[in-house]
Amino acid sequence: MMLSNSFNKSAIGAGLPTAQSQPVYRVPSRTGLRVRATVADETAATQQQQEEERGREIRRSLNKTGRYVRTVKNDPDATKALDADGVGYSLTGLVAQMREEGNFWKQGDVTVKLAKAYGYCWGVERAVRMAYEARRAFPGRSIHVTNEIIHNPEVNRRLREMDVNIVKEDPQKGKDYSKIDNGDVVIFPAFGVGAPDMKYFRDKGVNIVDTTCPWVAKVWNSVDTYAKKKCTSIIHGKYSHEETVATASFAEDYLIIKDLNEAQYVCDYILKGGDREEFMKKFSKAVSKGFDPDVHLNRVGLANQTTMLKGETQAIGKMLERTMMEKFGPQNLQDHFMVMDTICDATQERQDALYEITDDPTIDMMLVVGGFNSSNTSHLQEIPHNKGLPAFWVDTADRIDMANNSIAHKLHYGELKVTENWLPEGPITIGVTSGASTPDRAVEEVLERVFRMKDPNFKGIQPRECAPPVLPTH
């Protein structure tokens, strides 16, 4: 598919239909193929619901509008703004200096070891950069993001300060897009959006800035391939996560499983059969419309939410492979099971780096920095927890109470916990990592608060120019 290389301003408002006068909502739908509208004209609403296209057709049609862009302009002024706001890569601060010191830093009694892979991934930095570039490319225009651009509170706060509207979702009604008018700019976040939203904004006549991570799009390609080959997509992910909702909308038949236990349940059902009613109740929110486990589990292909644990996705793949070989015979495996490599490099690298650093016997505790609604960060916290190493997951430095030596931190299964006297007296070695949606500034602020707690006379890290980080080219 050919991609637009620049923001097309000439199409704004040129012969476009007028905005609807009634609220328009994207109602969560497990089919992923309908946009539901609240309009005065019920007939028009019915027609809109019936105008369905396959997800892949909607996706491919966006570029034909002349109002669609998904490339970075590398605007130098945007780079300066990212650095000034602390939402890009560190170029002069502590993290930048640690990169030049072998990911190592010693400040008084505190020794810090930074994981080899940490923080912003290429796709996330790209999304934030494109949002900043969009604000510069469309001065005075109303700009909206269909969800948080990434799962980081500081980044989303900065966008709001730039007068970028982040659309919130009502648990009952879905998302209200009624304030988005023809000629406005709509940004798709790094996780992507589902086919219904793509279709809605394509037809509405807005300018679209698509920051979807190419690795997410790679997963979409896999479920598209499975659909063409009449395979059910088994998606390893969380059914309510934005990325998985989007992925499901590009599949035909699908089943979403969150972990090894659910995978084992599905494999047992494939081999032995079972209570169909119980199966459908268990996965009621995680299957495609019309799903029948007695029909749709005979040919399957594995896909994944890119932020899930690499090892778990691979284990699920092996379970499904063994199950299909046992049921249909090794000679027939290729007719009943498919798997494509859709594990995100960034997720894999951060997990591998954390396994490595937690094997270091000198590490006393881990600090994990990242948004509390970040799936990939939750898995980073899970790794040291499972190894029995004290690990504290915080989203911002504000979680550390310096006066009382307490820390409010989140556990990987969701509980927010306050730990008293978390920072011991005397020398300590701290391992540090951060989620793929976490800018370097967040890590720097957390560490500087730790340094200040250990040494009240700490005056901060003096900035100095450092070499930029080495970035991937894909």
Side-chain angles (χ1 to χ4, degrees):
M1 180 174 64
M2 296 297 292
L3 304 179
S4 173
N5 290 317
S6 62
F7 293 95
N8 187 321
K9 302 179 185 179
S10 61
I12 301 176
L16 301 175
T18 57
Q20 294 175 341
S21 58
Q22 297 292 326
V24 179
Y25 299 97
R26 179 178 68 78
V27 178
S29 169
R30 294 271 63 84
T31 66
L33 294 175
R34 289 185 173 86
V35 173
R36 188 171 299 172
T38 303
V39 294
D41 189 342
E42 293 295 336
T43 301
T46 301
Q47 290 175 346
Q48 183 177 8
Q49 288 179 328
Q50 292 174 344
E51 292 175 359
E52 295 184 358
E53 302 174 56
R54 293 182 183 275
R56 58 181 176 271
E57 295 168 352
I58 296 171
R59 183 180 164 200
R60 292 166 181 168
S61 70
L62 293 177
N63 195 56
K64 298 177 182 179
T65 65
R67 297 176 275 102
Y68 176 73
V69 61
R70 57 169 301 182
T71 54
V72 179
K73 297 176 68 177
N74 290 316
D75 181 346
D77 290 329
T79 299
K80 293 178 182 177
L82 288 166
D83 187 45
D85 288 349
V87 295
Y89 294 112
S90 177
L91 302 177
T92 61
L94 173 60
V95 169
Q97 294 178 46
M98 288 184 71
R99 285 198 304 265
E100 296 193 342
E101 300 293 335
N103 286 21
F104 178 89
W105 193 265
K106 185 169 177 57
Q107 190 72 35
D109 280 347
V110 183
T111 299
V112 178
K113 295 185 178 181
L114 182 64
K116 290 181 179 178
Y118 62 91
Y120 262 2
C121 66
W122 170 73
V124 162
E125 196 273 347
R126 171 182 175 275
V128 179
R129 180 177 293 273
M130 288 180 71
Y132 268 63
E133 291 179 347
R135 179 70 284 175
R136 291 181 54 77
F138 295 98
R141 293 283 177 183
S142 295
I143 300 182
H144 313 266
V145 188
T146 60
N147 208 316
E148 292 183 341
I149 189 80
I150 61 172
H151 285 152
N152 182 269
E154 179 63 17
V155 171
N156 292 300
R157 183 181 71 82
R158 289 292 187 179
L159 289 180
R160 292 187 182 97
E161 290 176 351
M162 293 162 52
D163 200 25
V164 174
N165 171 48
I166 299 175
V167 180
K168 295 182 179 180
E169 182 161 5
D170 185 292
Q172 302 300 321
K173 298 179 180 179
K175 293 182 181 178
D176 182 358
Y177 290 146
S178 62
K179 295 180 181 179
I180 301 177
D181 294 326
N182 299 328
D184 286 357
V185 180
V186 173
I187 300 175
F188 295 164
F191 329 103
V193 299
D197 285 13
M198 287 185 179
K199 181 179 186 296
Y200 174 74
F201 289 117
R202 180 199 67 188
D203 296 344
K204 189 171 180 63
V206 300
N207 291 272
I208 298 171
V209 178
D210 186 356
T211 78
T212 304
C213 175
W215 280 97
V216 173
K218 185 178 180 181
V219 180
W220 296 351
N221 291 337
S222 73
V223 298
D224 181 24
T225 298
Y226 299 155
K228 289 178 181 178
K229 294 184 179 295
K230 305 302 180 184
C231 283
T232 296
S233 292
I234 304 292
I235 304 171
H236 175 214
K238 301 170 183 177
Y239 69 80
S240 61
H241 191 281
E242 306 99 304
E243 181 188 324
T244 297
V245 169
T247 296
S249 76
F250 294 106
E252 295 291 327
D253 302 306
Y254 65 82
L255 167 66
I256 301 168
I257 55 176
K258 67 179 180 180
D259 54 29
L260 290 168
N261 289 333
E262 289 192 352
Q264 187 62 60
Y265 182 93
V266 171
C267 288
D268 288 343
Y269 193 96
I270 292 172
L271 284 176
K272 307 171 186 175
D275 187 329
R276 183 182 181 280
E277 183 177 347
E278 177 188 86
F279 186 105
M280 294 304 296
K281 182 178 180 180
K282 181 178 182 67
F283 295 105
S284 62
K285 297 180 180 180
V287 294
S288 50
K289 184 178 180 180
F291 186 88
D292 185 341
D294 297 322
V295 174
H296 292 117
L297 293 178
N298 287 322
R299 291 172 56 86
V300 301
L302 179 65
N304 66 291
Q305 181 182 312
T306 59
T307 55
M308 301 302 281
L309 282 171
K310 163 196 169 185
E312 190 168 56
T313 297
Q314 292 175 328
I316 289 171
K318 292 295 183 183
M319 290 171 64
L320 289 169
E321 183 181 48
R322 287 194 301 269
T323 297
M324 291 313 204
M325 282 196 294
E326 184 174 345
K327 182 168 184 178
F328 299 104
Q331 70 278 12
N332 298 314
L333 178 64
Q334 64 180 1
D335 295 327
H336 295 276
F337 177 65
M338 293 183 66
V339 61
M340 301 176 70
D341 181 11
T342 58
I343 293 176
C344 169
D345 277 0
T347 300
Q348 176 179 334
E349 289 166 359
R350 278 149 190 74
Q351 292 170 5
D352 289 347
L354 192 51
Y355 278 115
E356 180 179 340
I357 197 171
T358 51
D359 283 339
D360 183 341
T362 69
I363 299 291
D364 297 308
M365 68 170 64
M366 286 296 307
L367 276 174
V368 180
V369 185
F372 279 170
N373 57 345
S374 167
S375 178
N376 80 86
T377 308
S378 74
H379 291 307
L380 293 178
Q381 199 275 346
E382 185 176 1
I383 290 170
H385 171 82
N386 289 341
K387 286 190 169 187
L389 183 65
F392 301 95
W393 170 17
V394 297
D395 54 349
T396 69
D398 291 338
R399 299 291 179 179
I400 299 175
D401 184 341
M402 296 175 59
N404 297 306
N405 190 17
S406 65
I407 185 170
H409 58 106
K410 195 172 185 180
L411 305 179
H412 69 274
Y413 52 82
E415 179 186 351
L416 186 63
K417 181 179 180 181
V418 176
T419 298
E420 307 288 344
N421 300 314
W422 74 283
L423 197 61
E425 295 182 359
I428 185 171
T429 299
I430 301 176
V432 178
T433 191
S434 51
S437 55
T438 307
D440 293 343
R441 179 75 61 83
V443 175
E444 292 173 346
E445 291 173 347
V446 168
L447 287 176
E448 291 198 4
R449 189 161 291 201
V450 170
F451 296 159
R452 192 168 289 112
M453 289 178 67
K454 297 291 284 186
D455 178 9
N457 296 318
F458 174 71
K459 303 299 183 184
I461 302 298
Q462 288 298 113
R464 63 176 171 85
E465 290 294 329
C466 298
V470 177
L471 305 179
T473 57
H474 58 279

